[in-house]
Amino acid sequence: MTLSVKETSITNFGLLIAFLLPGFVALWGVSYASDVVRSWLGASSDNAPTVGGFLYVTLASVVAGLTVSTVRWLAIDTLHHWTGVARPAWDFSLLQQNVAAFDVLVEFHYRYYLFYANMVVAIAFNTLMRHVAASPRPISLDWIDVAALLLSLVFLAGSRDTLQKYYRRGEALMAPRPR
């Protein structure tokens, strides 16, 4: 199967928003406690950003993004399922005849779900690290914490909506057929 440039760009964009961006936000949280990571981000006046630093940040963001996604699976997916988002009963024997349509659903709904839900986890981790690494401890809550909470709530609502759309539209493609 050969992908066109447009399809490759859409897939790459989906992976970028699903894993790399939330991973970067989590890595930024690590930089509050790690001088090495802070230097990769070019956050100190001594170290200007470098090509090597860019590579480290990119690779570390992917690893952090995959880790964030695992925590998302454990926490956010579970929360959505406990609060009424029903897992669909898909008949995967129907996937082969619907694979192109299913790929579109993944790129248009599931990748955005991953972004929104992963950002909830990444923002929470970033905020926690900001407080844990602060000196003197504990720092009081400020406008950054309020903004992080509000943004997390928006992302949580977005994640719920896109997961429901993904499940509902996937059900239309792969619902078990009566025999």
Side-chain angles (χ1 to χ4, degrees):
M1 180 171 136
T2 306
L3 295 177
S4 71
V5 172
K6 183 177 180 181
E7 291 169 324
T8 302
S9 295
I10 290 170
T11 300
N12 288 343
F13 178 73
L15 294 173
L16 173 84
I17 66 168
F19 302 108
L20 193 65
L21 295 179
F24 180 79
V25 171
L27 192 63
W28 175 18
V30 171
S31 76
Y32 292 122
S34 170
D35 292 334
V36 172
V37 174
R38 194 174 311 112
S39 73
W40 294 348
L41 298 177
S44 68
S45 58
D46 299 339
N47 297 328
T50 64
V51 173
F54 174 78
L55 180 62
Y56 289 147
V57 167
T58 302
L59 292 174
S61 292
V62 169
V63 171
L66 291 170
T67 305
V68 161
S69 195
T70 303
V71 174
R72 182 254 330 140
W73 161 77
L74 184 66
I76 306 296
D77 289 15
T78 302
L79 174 70
H80 287 322
H81 294 138
W82 279 352
T83 59
V85 177
R87 288 186 182 113
W90 288 344
D91 179 356
F92 282 95
S93 69
L94 300 171
L95 181 59
Q96 184 62 41
Q97 66 195 33
N98 295 307
V99 73
F102 190 75
D103 284 346
V104 169
L105 284 179
V106 168
E107 293 305 324
F108 289 1
H109 295 293
Y110 193 67
R111 294 279 193 248
Y112 286 90
Y113 165 70
L114 291 175
F115 170 72
Y116 298 142
N118 284 347
M119 283 299 290
V120 171
V121 173
I123 290 170
F125 177 76
N126 184 299
T127 303
L128 176 69
M129 290 302 295
R130 183 173 158 263
H131 284 272
V132 167
S135 181
R137 270 187 262 184
I139 62 172
S140 60
L141 299 179
D142 58 16
W143 70 269
I144 295 172
D145 298 307
V146 173
L149 176 63
L150 293 175
L151 194 55
S152 293
L153 291 173
V154 168
F155 283 143
L156 189 61
S159 74
R160 185 176 185 85
D161 178 65
T162 53
L163 184 62
Q164 286 174 323
K165 286 177 181 170
Y166 172 69
Y167 281 172
R168 191 171 52 248
R169 292 172 183 163
E171 190 91 46
L173 289 177
M174 298 193 319
R177 308 286 188 247
R179 298 189 190 257

